[in-house]
Amino acid sequence: MVVTYGRGAMTLREDLPGRRTTLAAIAERAHVSIGTVSKVVNERAGVGDETRARVREVISELGYVTHAERQLSASQLAEPTFELLVDPFDERNPYMFSFLGGATEASGEMGAALVTRRLDSIERMRPNDWARSLAAHHRAGVIEVTTRYSAGRERALRAVGLPMVLVDPIDFPRTTTMSIGATNWAGAYEATTHLLELGHTRVAYIGGPVDAACDIARASGWAAAMGSAGHRVDIEAVRRDSYSFEHGFAVATDLLQSLARPTAVFAGADITAMGVLEAARRLGISVPGELSVVGFDDTVLARSSSPNLTTVHQPIADIGRTAVSALLRLARGESFATKRVELATHLIVRDSTAPPSR
């Protein structure tokens, strides 16, 4: 395991303001006494309608959850339940199957449960309303997988005392939030170096989601390896879209019909590489005879494609296990010495790469 972005040991609730919302915070914001807030929270008389409405508005704004709503802490629950948020498009990516396999295995071993929800199902809700609903339903924390970081969601969760773990977030990891991923740069560098050592000089990279931190790291690793071998590449010209068969097919079709046709393609994900293989097949280009192809992930696709795909193995199931384990520890108030954990990658050479034929 490789760990980066280290910081001093701290618990989730100690490193930032915005801890669980208190009655005092509500009273200060609403310009009333703590006693008045207590009466509103506990539905007691003695508060005017206008004041009661103002206090309730602040309660909603700050995401306050009463003791009765919260009831049991994660350490007391017989079976802590975590909310798992996924991007709708990722449901089609085999990455998610591998991740869920590891996450559910870890949950079973640790006596926890996972509730999977699509991100678009909660995006229409106010973050504070969403967080209060999670607390009211006794969720112990949230795991977000390959989603774009939302400061609003994090603040809302902090207000109700729930921790969050990000897995391969679309944007760069936050030093305030636990995040887990793989050594994307190193994996891409190793993959590109493999192609260079085979004798390829025209190695193209097909990227993933625009501004995705993991893909920026992979593209940078590719560019660094090319540069080290004396081949200049334009990282800004990398074509990016979702990690998908369709994107790989479309970009590879263009590249393989261009005048400066590459002899090797490194795709940012296995599913993208499947599109590259199909484009080559339709154009009558043999793999690996006339074109070498490398993927990233080492999903079931890599082992079932024809030819079997050379790819960068990232321990996806282990990432799922680590995410569940980390969130359970955070929910129980334990400390971490780092906010970023990266699990090591390595290249697996199969049948889709060979020396160039020309």
Side-chain angles (χ1 to χ4, degrees), residues 280-281 284-292:
R281 187 191 69 81
I285 298 171
S286 67
V287 176
E290 298 173 274
L291 177 72
S292 286

Side-chain angles (χ1 to χ4, degrees), residues 19-314:
R19 307 171 194 172
R20 180 176 294 167
T21 303
T22 63
L23 294 183
I26 296 169
E28 181 180 358
R29 178 72 67 90
H31 305 293
V32 297
S33 68
I34 295 176
T36 297
V37 175
S38 179
K39 288 180 180 179
V40 173
V41 167
N42 293 290
E43 300 293 339
R44 294 202 300 267
V47 181
D49 291 343
E50 182 179 340
T51 301
R52 189 180 296 274
R54 185 167 75 251
V55 172
R56 283 176 173 167
E57 183 177 350
V58 172
I59 287 173
S60 177
E61 179 184 341
L62 296 183
Y64 178 75
V65 176
T66 68
H67 178 72
E69 288 176 310
R70 193 176 296 114
Q71 290 188 350
L72 296 174
S73 68
S75 61
Q76 295 171 310
L77 287 170
E79 185 182 66
T81 302
F82 300 126
E83 193 89 355
L84 181 67
L85 289 180
V86 301
D87 189 284
F89 197 86
D90 282 341
E91 295 171 346
R92 298 168 50 193
N93 194 328
Y95 173 101
M96 189 57 63
F97 302 145
S98 298
F99 176 86
L100 285 172
T104 53
E105 180 182 14
S107 298
E109 292 172 353
M110 297 174 189
L114 292 176
V115 174
T116 304
R117 199 177 307 277
R118 289 166 53 122
L119 182 62
D120 58 356
S121 70
I122 62 102
E123 285 186 323
R124 291 183 293 273
M125 299 176 65
R126 292 176 56 187
N128 287 330
D129 292 340
W130 166 69
R132 293 186 72 220
S133 174
L134 292 182
H137 286 86
H138 315 311
R139 299 291 188 263
V142 174
I143 298 173
E144 292 196 11
V145 187
T146 65
T147 62
R148 190 170 296 281
Y149 168 79
S150 166
R153 286 198 297 273
E154 182 182 32
R155 283 195 298 268
L157 289 173
R158 285 181 179 276
V160 298
L162 295 181
M164 169 192 282
V165 170
L166 305 175
V167 176
D168 260 344
I170 294 297
D171 41 5
F172 284 96
R174 307 286 154 168
T175 57
T176 60
T177 312
M178 189 78 183
S179 65
I180 299 168
T183 52
N184 292 294
W185 189 96
Y189 190 94
E190 184 181 9
T192 308
T193 298
H194 166 67
L195 293 169
L196 291 166
E197 289 177 345
L198 287 174
H200 295 277
T201 58
R202 297 194 302 277
V203 181
Y205 177 71
I206 300 179
V210 176
D211 297 330
C214 61
D215 195 69
I216 290 172
R218 292 171 196 178
S220 297
W222 160 75
M226 294 294 286
S228 296
H231 307 297
R232 298 186 62 181
V233 294
D234 182 4
I235 198 169
E236 298 300 324
V238 170
R239 290 175 60 177
R240 290 189 165 90
D241 204 310
S242 59
Y243 288 133
S244 65
F245 175 92
E246 293 80 7
H247 178 56
F249 177 79
V251 176
T253 298
D254 290 345
L255 290 173
L256 297 178
Q257 294 183 102
S258 66
L259 293 177
R261 191 179 99 186
T263 61
V265 171
F266 172 31
D270 288 352
I271 194 168
T272 307
M274 295 302 104
V276 177
L277 292 178
E278 178 61 14
R281 187 191 69 81
R282 293 194 188 186
L283 293 170
I285 298 171
S286 67
V287 176
E290 298 173 274
L291 177 72
S292 286
V293 181
V294 177
F296 200 110
D297 286 335
D298 194 26
T299 60
V300 64
L301 293 176
R303 299 181 292 278
S304 58
S305 65
S306 181
N308 286 176
L309 185 67
T310 295
T311 188
V312 177
H313 173 85
Q314 62 167 325

